[in-house]
């Protein structure tokens, strides 16, 4: 059994106290559970003077979601949170740092090894106030709290969440404009209706702290004389949108001082207007949809990313609350390899260094399971959102720890595949809809085909009870193999396996019932 050693002394009895609140009781239960799992000690709640004291509490001097762990020989250990969620984060961080516990995926955790040695405390404030990735494997509330994500509808007893009133592309709800159109943002009647809708939503739910007033998802912006004149004056289509959003923000500011109006800088509204600035209670959610994800966003040698680099600099000059909608999968091809692991860390650091306060990396949100590396990305992005300044060594340590736990003893062969694909993709450009061979040329796969087969074979042989995960992630290589060597029998079997595993092909299209499996799989929709 592992020993618990605090300030050089082995501890065999602990007294635990926590706030008499739903989140306090939950945090105490989680602390007790992991303490017993890691070192076999059951904390007591009675007045045992000999027991070492552990105190969980909230400290309003700390910022929201922050925590502080203090270690004292006389007073014991205190885990303080700036709110209930921060206190709970502190509990999980305690076991992660001192005991080596890892919260990889729902149902997949490791407890660490060796004695638990605690000599000093630490304090942590998440750089981003809003953190949510978008993979179904990360929907689990328990996993979200353990990994610092705070925008799923997490129950209050588990720390609660940042609650949106509406979430992007909201003009249909606010103005009645169909999703394939945009409203006239110069029409006073449209503004009045939007204000009425926003006020109605906020009055119905006092827990809402942010609400989206943002364009529908299309390019059909209004071209009337008034809107066109504003856009020309501003030098950006964001001009009409931001003036509209500011008017809503001004209207609700006094009655709802804690509510932020969120809007998009997306596609035709991405560039900064030259005159209008966001109100203090407005958040700009900048979207990286056009970018290249084979190169870091701050790589000025990549012409694909220069415009976005300039946009975030410009928005940062006029806005104190920037959120990012990032894109971290291939939405046209969920299954083939999307080798962006080489840029995830650099991009998250870039965001943190340029005034960003909220992160939303969108993955294959509608696929129940990933046939590629969705689970790995989900975990790494959660770690990066909590610590965007981590070193390269720390980033790849997180990757390797996950791979070993998720794929079993043959994980190094999967790491070899990741390294190969990321290295080959770095030589070109990679968008979020690109077909596989435009990311990594056919001949690169052909040259290493036998070796890659061997990597996946070895990973399966050594997977043990993680075989299902290896087989499912191997779908990406089976897809590439069918592009190299179309085969009707293997194609039909591949489809059956993919759909049995609850993996989707792409964001929006289902395969037709009748398919010519003798074709390459990216042509099965023909």
């Amino acid at each position: 059994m592992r020993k618990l050693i605090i300030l050089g002394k082995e501890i065999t009895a602990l007294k635990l106290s926590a706030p008499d609140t739903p989140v306090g009781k939950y945090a105490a239960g989680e602390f007790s559970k992991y303490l017993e799992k890691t070192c076999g000690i059951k904390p007591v709640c009675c007045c045992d003077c000999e027991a070492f004291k552990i105190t969980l509490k909230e400290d309003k001097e700390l910022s929201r979601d922050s925590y502080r762990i203090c270690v004292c020989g006389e007073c014991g250990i205190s885990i303080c949170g700036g709110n209930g969620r921060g206190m709970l984060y502190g509990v999980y961080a305690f076991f992660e740092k001192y005991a080596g516990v890892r919260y990889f995926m729902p149902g997949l955790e490791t407890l660490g090894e060796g004695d638990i040695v605690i000599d000093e405390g630490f304090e942590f404030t998440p750089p981003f106030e809003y953190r949510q990735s978008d993979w179904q494997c990360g929907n689990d509330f328990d996993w979200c709290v353990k990994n610092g994500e705070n925008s799923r509808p997490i129950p209050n007893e588990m720390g609660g969440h940042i609650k949106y009133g509406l979430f992007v592309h909201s003009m249909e709800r606010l103005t009645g404009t169909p999703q394939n159109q945009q409203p006239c943002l110069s029409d006073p009647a449209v503004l009045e209706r939007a204000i009425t809708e926003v006020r109605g939503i906020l009055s119905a739910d006092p827990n809402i702290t942010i609400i989206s007033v943002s364009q529908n998802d299309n390019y059909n912006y209004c071209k009337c004389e008034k809107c066109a004149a504003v856009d020309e004056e501003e030098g950006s289509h964001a001009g009409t949108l931001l003036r509209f959003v500011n008017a809503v923000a001004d209207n609700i500011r006094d009655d709802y001082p804690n509510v932020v109006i969120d809007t998009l800088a997306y596609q035709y509204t991405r560039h900064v207007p030259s005159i209008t600035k966001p109100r203090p209670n407005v958040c700009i959610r900048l979207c990286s949809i056009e970018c290249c994800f084979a190169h870091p966003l701050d790589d000025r040698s990549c012409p694909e990313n220069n415009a976005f680099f300039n946009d975030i600099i410009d928005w940062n000059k006029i806005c104190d609350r920037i959120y990012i909608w990032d894109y971290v999968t291939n939405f046209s091809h969920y299954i083939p390899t999307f080798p962006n692991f080489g840029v995830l860390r650099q991009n998250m650091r870039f965001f943190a260094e340029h005034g960003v306060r909220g992160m939303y990396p969108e993955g294959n949100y509608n696929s129940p399971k990933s046939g590629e590396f969705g689970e790995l990305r989900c975990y790494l992005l959660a770690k990066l959102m909590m610590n965007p300044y981590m070193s390269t060594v720390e980033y790849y340590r997180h990757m390797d720890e996950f791979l070993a736990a998720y794929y079993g003893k043959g994980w190094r062969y999967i790491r070899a595949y990741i390294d190969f694909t990321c290295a080959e993709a770095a030589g070109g450009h990679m968008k979020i809809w690109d077909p596989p061979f435009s990311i990594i040329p056919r001949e690169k796969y052909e040259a290493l085909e036998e070796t890659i087969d061997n990597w996946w074979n070895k990973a399966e042989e050594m997977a043990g009870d993680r075989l299902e995960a290896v087989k499912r992630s191997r779908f990406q290589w089976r897809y590439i193999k069918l592009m190299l060597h179309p085969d009707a029998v293997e194609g039909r079997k591949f489809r059956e396996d993919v759909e049995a595993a609850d993996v989707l092909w792409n964001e929006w299209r289902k395969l037709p019932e009748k398919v010519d499996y003798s074709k390459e799989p990216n042509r099965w929709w023909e």
Side-chain angles (χ1 to χ4, degrees):
M1 180 60 67
R2 304 167 72 182
K3 295 179 181 179
L4 174 62
I5 301 172
I6 302 176
L7 297 174
K9 180 181 178 180
E10 183 178 355
I11 303 298
T12 58
L14 282 175
K15 177 186 176 182
L16 176 65
S17 62
D20 187 22
T21 61
V23 68
K25 293 176 181 177
Y26 187 83
E30 290 295 276
F31 188 94
S32 299
K33 178 176 71 176
Y34 282 99
L35 186 70
E36 185 174 3
K37 280 185 173 184
T38 55
C39 61
I41 297 175
K42 294 183 179 181
V44 297
C45 298
C46 61
C47 296
D48 184 347
C49 295
E50 300 298 320
F52 190 89
K53 296 178 182 178
I54 301 285
T55 304
L56 313 182
K57 59 184 179 181
E58 294 185 38
D59 182 349
K60 298 305 180 183
E61 293 186 0
L62 294 171
S63 59
R64 184 180 70 177
D65 288 10
S66 298
Y67 57 84
R68 179 192 300 122
I69 297 176
C70 298
V71 182
C72 174
E74 296 181 1
C75 304
I77 291 177
S78 64
I79 302 177
C80 306
N83 53 8
R85 190 163 57 239
M87 177 176 60
L88 194 52
Y89 289 165
V91 167
Y92 295 126
F94 178 92
F95 289 100
E96 184 171 19
K97 178 176 177 62
Y98 299 123
V101 175
R102 299 291 183 264
Y103 316 103
F104 293 119
M105 276 285 113
L108 180 62
E109 298 180 355
T110 57
L111 298 175
E113 298 176 346
D115 292 340
I116 301 169
V117 179
I118 305 172
D119 289 323
E120 60 182 6
F122 64 100
E123 184 173 334
F124 181 75
T125 298
F128 302 125
E129 65 184 15
Y130 165 89
R131 305 170 298 276
Q132 180 183 333
S133 62
D134 203 15
W135 306 82
Q136 287 211 15
C137 55
N139 281 348
D140 182 83
F141 298 152
D142 180 63
W143 182 88
C144 287
V145 176
K146 290 173 180 175
N147 288 281
E149 296 196 8
N150 64 359
S151 194
R152 304 279 187 188
I154 299 166
N156 288 335
E157 64 269 19
M158 297 176 69
H161 64 288
I162 295 175
K163 188 168 187 179
Y164 261 83
L166 292 175
F167 187 65
V168 306
H169 304 317
S170 58
M171 288 301 180
E172 182 171 29
R173 166 69 188 276
L174 296 178
T175 70
T177 306
Q179 195 58 235
N180 63 348
Q181 301 175 27
Q182 303 289 356
C184 174
L185 299 175
S186 300
D187 186 341
V190 173
L191 175 61
E192 181 179 358
R193 176 169 178 173
I195 289 171
T196 300
E197 288 292 324
V198 166
R199 283 184 164 274
I201 291 167
L202 295 178
S203 65
D205 190 342
N207 295 314
I208 292 171
T209 58
I210 188 165
I211 184 169
S212 182
V213 179
S214 57
Q215 69 213 62
N216 290 335
D217 196 3
N218 64 77
Y219 279 90
N220 299 321
Y221 54 86
C222 180
K223 298 178 179 65
C224 77
E225 184 177 345
K226 289 183 178 180
C227 287
V230 171
D231 288 345
E232 183 176 0
E233 181 183 22
E234 295 275 12
S236 169
H237 295 297
T240 48
L241 177 62
L242 190 53
R243 292 185 188 189
F244 185 93
V245 169
N246 279 349
V248 177
D250 288 343
N251 183 275
I252 64 122
R253 180 183 57 235
D254 293 339
D255 293 330
Y256 300 97
N258 297 320
V259 172
V260 172
I261 302 294
D262 171 73
T263 196
L264 292 173
Y266 172 63
Q267 295 180 333
Y268 66 88
T269 61
R270 211 185 78 187
H271 302 307
V272 177
S274 60
I275 301 171
T276 305
K277 296 177 174 58
R279 296 290 193 263
N281 59 333
V282 167
C283 169
I284 298 297
R285 186 183 285 270
L286 180 62
C287 305
S288 61
I289 193 167
E290 299 90 351
C291 291
C292 165
F293 296 99
H295 298 100
L297 293 171
D298 60 351
D299 182 351
R300 301 314 298 268
S301 69
C302 176
E304 305 288 333
N305 290 339
N306 277 336
F308 184 86
F309 183 97
N310 294 330
D311 284 341
I312 196 170
I313 296 294
D314 290 341
W315 278 113
N316 215 357
K317 292 175 182 176
I318 66 171
C319 183
D320 292 331
R321 180 178 266 110
I322 298 174
Y323 284 7
I324 294 292
W325 187 305
D326 200 18
Y327 301 82
V328 291
T329 194
N330 188 322
F331 293 90
S332 293
H333 308 276
Y334 275 167
I335 298 174
T337 306
F338 189 66
N340 64 341
F341 290 105
V343 305
L344 294 181
R345 184 190 67 86
Q346 294 98 311
N347 286 353
M348 199 70 75
R349 186 183 186 106
F350 169 73
F351 293 136
E353 291 175 342
H354 288 82
V356 171
R357 294 175 61 180
M359 284 301 308
Y360 179 81
E362 184 184 19
N364 56 5
Y365 61 91
N366 58 338
S367 184
K369 296 286 185 68
S370 172
E372 196 235 10
F373 291 125
E375 295 80 10
L376 173 61
R377 270 194 207 83
C378 186
Y379 178 73
L380 290 177
L381 287 164
K383 306 305 285 185
L384 287 166
M385 284 189 284
M386 286 295 273
N387 179 17
Y389 300 107
M390 71 173 64
S391 67
T392 303
V393 171
E394 186 176 1
Y395 174 69
Y396 285 106
R397 175 178 62 79
H398 285 306
M399 176 184 286
D400 288 349
E401 288 179 346
F402 182 95
L403 294 174
Y406 195 74
Y407 293 113
K409 293 182 179 180
W411 68 270
R412 286 182 176 82
Y413 294 102
I414 293 176
R415 172 66 193 271
Y417 181 78
I418 291 173
D419 290 346
F420 158 72
T421 54
C422 289
E424 293 299 340
H429 298 290
M430 182 170 70
K431 299 293 189 72
I432 59 171
W433 301 287
D434 285 348
F437 287 160
S438 72
I439 297 172
I440 297 176
R442 169 190 292 268
E443 57 268 21
K444 298 292 186 179
Y445 285 116
E446 289 175 335
L448 213 63
E449 183 175 354
E450 185 176 346
T451 298
I452 297 173
D453 275 335
N454 184 60
W455 287 341
W456 285 105
N457 289 339
K458 288 289 189 181
E460 286 193 13
E461 290 172 12
M462 301 172 69
D465 62 1
R466 301 306 304 170
L467 181 59
E468 183 274 333
V470 175
K471 283 178 173 275
R472 185 161 35 80
S473 289
R474 190 173 184 166
F475 285 167
Q476 62 193 297
W477 177 234
R478 290 175 65 185
Y479 192 107
I480 297 297
K481 288 269 287 184
L482 282 168
M483 291 189 67
L484 295 174
H485 313 289
D487 180 275
V489 174
E490 173 55 27
R492 183 182 298 276
K493 178 66 166 59
F494 181 57
R495 176 180 182 169
E496 292 172 354
D497 290 347
V498 166
E499 295 180 353
D502 220 6
V503 172
L504 298 188
W505 299 93
N506 52 51
E507 183 180 17
W508 60 89
R509 291 191 302 170
K510 291 184 177 181
L511 278 177
E513 288 187 16
K514 294 183 178 180
V515 167
D516 183 354
Y517 295 106
S518 66
K519 294 181 178 180
E520 299 174 359
N522 60 326
R523 297 179 58 200
W524 287 353
W525 283 266
E526 295 178 355

